[in-house]
């Protein structure tokens, strides 16, 4: 009851016209954690409604897997079930008839210290356990009014390593020798086959009810190891490739670099697969339908603490960094900064941040960065992020070569409009680029 009043109120308040995107998919991720922040940093359902006229798909997360019986379940039943957030989110479709709302499982949010391997255990657990998972996931989708399921499956990640040092070169030599140092998962081939069976069963089940099935390839999960792309092509509706967090302060505490480059910057010895172009090209090469490949971009930046040996310029690759920067005021999370938190860093004492500050970027193929101003009392930090110029560029790339773009996550775009009075500036930039409002051509 209370729920329907809220939804009704939303309906009356907002002129909710869907903004056409010429068939290009705009996939918006909504991590429910951002609805749990304290006011005013909380992303509420009414904030969300403002964004949804720009989204073709909303992916709500996250559900997880129960280690005892492998059933899919909400990771926060209090919020999703008792407080009806599942229903509130799917009810938003009434105002956006074209919007599809999917429930996502995994997403690196289903962290279970006692059962760190449960995703792999489910793969190895055979048909019966997999069916148990699929039946329960299907029920969640059906009972709460979702349009489909997204599997943001948690696979072992590739190992971080220094990207440009001599050490990196030595590592390459080791790899060539085949000593096995880099083998993260000796049974990757087997897990790939098992995952394909899981996806096939899930697809069979969901298609009976015309539900959608998508995949999210999580950051630093190597597609070559776990995705049988040509087979999966026939089983899923689309795939979202989270092409960011290639370099993070947790994985790479001692050196900071652009976290989500579109292309490889040849000016340093960087790894050839740490960029969005490589990651999406892999799926294209394996003949996955290009119209169903979605490029995932971040709305947040990665933030490192600098030391006095990190130098003054901030030009990446920045060496001698000291792990994650302390939390910012809104997201309150070490090592990351949301767009409004980045705006605070860009702002100087007598000049508020303008859109132009977020647009200037001669380095837009790789990303942008901001260095906190020098203050004797605090440690300096360095944040690598996608500014609006980079967002335009990546969107143009997705329009030209792929089927859509995915934003991770609505909760770190500037949904309050605190940067320069525009709500969801990243999402806006995406839709404007999709509609061809900026003439950018990302020819390689
Ligand atoms: C997966 O890892 C191997 C190295 O182990 C690398 O050669 C390959 O390019 C990676 N594939 C992707 C899609 O990242």
């Amino acid at each position: 009851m209370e729920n329907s009043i809220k939804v009704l109120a939303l309906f009356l308040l907002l002129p909710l016209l869907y903004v056409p995107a010429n068939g290009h998919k705009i996939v918006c991720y909504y991590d429910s954690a951002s609805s749990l922040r304290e006011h005013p940093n909380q992303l509420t359902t009414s904030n969300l409604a403002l964004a949804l006229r720009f989204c073709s798909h909303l992916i709500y997360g996250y559900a997880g897997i129960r280690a005892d019986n492998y059933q899919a379940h909400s990771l926060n039943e209090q919020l999703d079930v008792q407080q009806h957030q599942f229903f509130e989110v799917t009810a938003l479709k009434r105002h956006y008839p074209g919007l599809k709302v999917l429930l996502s499982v995994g997403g690196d949010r289903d962290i279970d210290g006692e059962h760190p391997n449960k995703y792999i255990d489910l793969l190895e657990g055979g048909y019966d356990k997999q069916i148990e998972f699929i039946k329960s996931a299907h029920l969640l989708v059906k009972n709460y009014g979702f349009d489909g399921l997204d599997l943001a499956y948690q696979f072992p990640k590739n190992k971080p390593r220094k990207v440009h040092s001599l050490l990196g070169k030595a590592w390459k030599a080791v790899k060539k020798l085949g000593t096995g140092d880099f083998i993260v998962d000796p049974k990757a081939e087997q897990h790939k086959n098992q995952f394909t069976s899981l996806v096939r069963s899930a697809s069979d089940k969901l298609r009976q009810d015309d539900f959608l099935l998508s995949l999210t390839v999580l950051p630093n999960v190597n597609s070559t190891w776990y995705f049988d792309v040509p087979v999966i092509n026939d089983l899923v509706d689309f795939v979202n490739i989270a092409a960011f967090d290639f370099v993070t302060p947790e994985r790479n505490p001692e050196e900071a670099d652009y976290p989500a480059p579109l292309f490889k910057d040849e000016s340093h010895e960087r790894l050839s697969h740490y960029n969005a172009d490589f990651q999406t090209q892999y799926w294209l090469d394996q003949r996955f339908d290009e119209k169903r490949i979605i490029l995932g971009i971040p709305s947040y930046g990665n933030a490192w603490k600098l030391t006095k040996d990190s130098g003054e310029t901030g030009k990446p690759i920045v060496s001698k960094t000291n792990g994650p920067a302390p939390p910012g005021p809104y997201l309150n999370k070490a090592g990351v900064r949301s767009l409004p938190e980045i705006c605070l860093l860009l702002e100087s004492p007598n000049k508020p941040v303008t859109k132009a500050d977020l647009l200037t970027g001669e380095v837009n193929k790789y990303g942008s960065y901001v260095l906190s101003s020098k203050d004797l009392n605090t440690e300096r930090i360095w944040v690598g992020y996608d500014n609006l110029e980079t967002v335009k560029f990546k969107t143009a790339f997705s329009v030209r070569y792929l089927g859509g773009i995915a934003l991770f996550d609505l909760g770190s775009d500037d949904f309050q409009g605190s940067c320069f009075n525009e709500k969801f500036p990243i999402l806006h930039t995406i839709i404007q680029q999709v509609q061809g409002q900026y003439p950018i051509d990302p020819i390689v």
Side-chain angles (χ1 to χ4, degrees):
M1 186 61 206
E2 190 203 339
N3 205 23
S4 48
I5 292 173
K6 264 196 223 158
V7 171
L8 185 69
L10 281 177
F11 183 65
L12 294 175
L13 281 174
L14 300 164
L16 304 169
L17 286 177
Y18 179 66
V19 177
N22 315 328
H24 202 60
K25 289 187 181 59
I26 299 184
V27 179
C28 299
Y29 279 76
Y30 175 35
D31 183 339
S32 64
S34 45
S35 71
L36 295 171
R37 291 184 214 142
E38 308 248 307
H39 178 78
N41 304 318
Q42 182 188 32
L43 176 54
T44 61
T45 318
S46 54
N47 296 139
L48 192 66
L50 264 184
L52 292 185
R53 68 200 149 120
F54 302 125
C55 309
S56 61
H57 296 75
L58 178 71
I59 296 195
Y60 180 75
Y62 285 87
I65 299 178
R66 273 193 225 283
D68 51 352
N69 59 13
Y70 296 100
Q71 289 188 356
H73 71 127
S74 158
L75 287 174
N76 186 343
E77 300 215 328
Q78 174 68 21
L79 176 74
D80 289 332
V81 181
Q82 271 92 308
Q83 296 173 25
H84 312 290
Q85 187 143 289
F86 274 166
F87 276 132
E88 257 183 64
V89 166
T90 57
L92 290 163
K93 283 188 294 179
R94 288 185 217 151
H95 315 303
Y96 305 94
L99 178 73
K100 301 287 179 205
V101 184
L102 286 82
L103 176 65
S104 186
V105 176
D108 287 335
R109 295 297 187 276
D110 186 14
I111 306 303
D112 180 346
E114 282 175 35
H115 306 97
N117 293 321
K118 63 185 176 180
Y119 282 72
I120 292 299
D121 294 342
L122 174 57
L123 295 181
E124 293 180 349
Y127 184 76
D128 290 345
K129 283 184 179 139
Q130 293 181 13
I131 289 297
E132 193 65 25
F133 167 71
I134 289 162
K135 279 202 305 213
S136 56
H138 170 262
L139 271 186
L140 283 181
V141 167
K142 188 166 179 155
N143 291 347
Y144 293 100
F146 289 97
D147 298 295
L149 183 71
D150 174 66
L151 292 176
Y153 212 81
Q154 296 179 180
F155 288 108
K157 293 182 183 278
N158 62 34
K159 286 245 189 304
R161 58 198 151 106
K162 287 202 172 183
V163 287
H164 77 307
S165 64
L166 283 170
L167 238 168
K169 283 184 188 139
W171 195 95
K172 274 194 178 161
V174 168
K175 190 180 100 177
K176 281 205 192 94
L177 289 172
T179 59
D181 280 30
F182 65 106
I183 296 179
V184 172
D185 178 1
K187 293 198 277 182
E189 193 61 31
Q190 177 196 318
H191 294 147
K192 184 199 260 188
N193 293 333
Q194 290 162 336
F195 183 67
T196 309
S197 316
L198 178 78
V199 173
R200 180 176 285 114
S201 309
S203 169
D204 288 347
K205 181 76 185 163
L206 291 160
R207 279 184 182 169
Q208 288 169 10
D209 287 323
D210 283 331
F211 288 138
L212 298 172
L213 176 62
S214 67
L215 300 179
T216 297
V217 181
L218 291 173
N220 298 307
V221 168
N222 188 317
S223 293
T224 316
W225 300 343
Y226 296 114
F227 297 93
D228 189 344
V229 176
V231 178
I232 279 178
N233 187 29
D234 298 327
L235 303 177
V236 304
D237 292 283
F238 55 98
V239 58
N240 309 294
I241 301 173
F244 49 85
D245 281 352
F246 294 112
V247 183
T248 74
E250 287 78 19
R251 289 168 58 90
N252 315 78
E254 292 166 8
E255 75 185 2
D257 197 6
Y258 297 122
L262 178 53
F263 297 116
K264 184 177 177 192
D265 176 356
E266 302 288 349
S267 69
H268 283 281
E269 174 95 2
R270 288 179 167 98
L271 297 172
S272 55
H273 54 291
Y274 279 15
N275 59 79
D277 177 39
F278 184 98
Q279 293 300 322
T280 51
Q281 189 62 43
Y282 178 76
W283 286 75
L284 290 168
D285 289 346
Q286 298 280 310
R287 295 188 307 281
F288 196 89
D289 172 15
E290 63 186 33
K291 285 287 156 225
R292 294 183 291 120
I293 300 176
I294 316 297
L295 170 64
I297 68 164
S299 52
Y300 60 88
N302 291 351
W304 281 259
K305 214 178 335 181
L306 300 182
T307 66
K308 61 176 177 5
D309 301 323
S310 302
E312 295 297 320
T313 68
K315 197 169 158 37
I317 299 169
V318 184
S319 59
K320 306 274 192 325
T321 56
N322 183 20
Y330 305 141
L331 269 192
N332 203 12
K333 219 171 137 198
V336 292
R337 284 289 194 279
S338 64
L339 186 69
E341 289 174 331
I342 291 166
C343 285
L344 292 179
L345 295 172
L346 290 168
E347 207 168 74
S348 62
N350 34 25
K351 193 181 140 291
V353 71
T354 62
K355 196 158 189 177
D357 294 320
L358 277 177
L359 282 171
T360 47
E362 75 278 14
V363 287
N364 56 36
K365 292 176 183 171
Y366 313 123
S368 194
Y369 61 86
V370 56
L371 198 61
S372 68
S373 55
K374 216 166 186 167
D375 177 340
L376 291 179
N377 300 315
T378 56
E379 278 161 312
R380 299 186 88 188
I381 70 165
W382 185 96
V383 185
Y385 69 105
D386 282 2
N387 70 8
L388 297 182
E389 200 69 32
T390 311
V391 172
K392 279 187 202 171
F393 213 73
K394 286 186 174 178
T395 307
F397 178 90
S398 77
V399 168
R400 192 176 160 120
Y401 299 108
L402 309 170
I405 189 152
L407 184 63
F408 290 73
D409 174 294
L410 291 175
S412 39
D413 195 353
D414 184 14
F415 56 85
Q416 308 275 19
S418 70
C419 287
F420 39 84
N421 255 325
E422 177 185 331
K423 292 184 178 172
F424 294 104
I426 299 180
L427 199 54
H428 253 134
T429 303
I430 291 174
I431 189 80
Q432 287 171 334
Q433 181 64 53
V434 168
Q435 291 173 336
Q437 295 185 27
Y438 309 110
I440 290 183
D441 194 10
I443 296 174
V444 188

